């Protein structure tokens, strides 16, 4: 069974870059047919799509975040990484990595990221 675990700093200052890594176990990010993705849920709001990366490294992003977002992977570590540039307090949310796009098949437990000076 595939398991996902997010890791990264819980506090980021405004204008800096948010960087989160997802470690996948129980399956390879390069050999399964799944799409690997990032999501977030701001306080009091619905779950929001951020972007995805496929098993061959193709990426796609939500239009509202595309200009500030990148997703990369380290196949040797079975990890994929989200980077969100120029963050503001509006980027404060619980961030999830997941398998599946545009719907979630399974996801990590989530990690709180707060943007504050």
């Amino acid at each position: 069974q595939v398991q996902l675990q997010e890791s990264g700093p819980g506090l980021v200052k405004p204008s800096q870059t948010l960087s989160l890594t997802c470690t996948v176990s129980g399956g390879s990010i390069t050999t399964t047919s799944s799409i690997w993705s990032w999501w977030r849920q701001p306080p009091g709001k619905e779950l929001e799509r951020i972007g995805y990366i496929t098993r061959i490294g193709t990426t796609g992003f939500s239009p509202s975040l595309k200009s500030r977002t990148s997703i990369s992977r380290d196949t040797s570590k079975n990890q994929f990484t989200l980077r969100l540039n120029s963050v503001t307090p509006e980027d404060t949310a619980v961030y999830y990595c997941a398998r599946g796009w545009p719907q979630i098949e399974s996801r990590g437990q989530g990690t709180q990221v707060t943007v504050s000076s």
Side-chain angles (χ1 to χ4, degrees):
Q1 183 176 356
V2 172
Q3 294 184 325
L4 303 99
Q5 179 66 58
E6 305 90 352
S7 60
L11 180 65
V12 183
K13 293 183 178 180
S15 81
Q16 293 188 340
T17 296
L18 180 161
S19 181
L20 296 173
T21 295
C22 183
T23 301
V24 179
S25 59
S28 171
I29 63 173
T30 61
T31 60
T32 67
S33 60
S34 298
I35 297 176
W36 308 94
S37 55
W38 286 97
W39 305 67
R40 69 181 185 180
Q41 187 165 24
K45 297 184 179 181
E46 294 184 351
L47 193 63
E48 176 184 18
R49 295 181 180 90
I50 299 174
Y52 66 86
I53 186 166
T54 70
R55 64 181 181 88
I56 61 172
T58 304
T59 56
F61 305 100
S62 172
S64 63
L65 295 170
K66 183 177 181 178
S67 65
R68 300 194 290 130
T69 308
S70 65
I71 298 176
S72 61
R73 60 182 186 163
D74 185 335
T75 58
S76 67
K77 296 180 180 179
N78 215 36
Q79 296 175 332
F80 59 103
T81 297
L82 167 71
R83 289 183 175 85
L84 181 64
N85 302 323
S86 304
V87 297
T88 72
E90 285 65 43
D91 293 311
T92 294
V94 178
Y95 285 75
Y96 299 91
C97 63
R99 182 175 64 171
W101 183 276
Q103 304 299 327
I104 292 176
E105 299 172 24
S106 60
R107 70 179 190 187
Q109 63 182 14
T111 186
Q112 172 70 46
V113 177
T114 300
V115 179
S116 175
S117 56

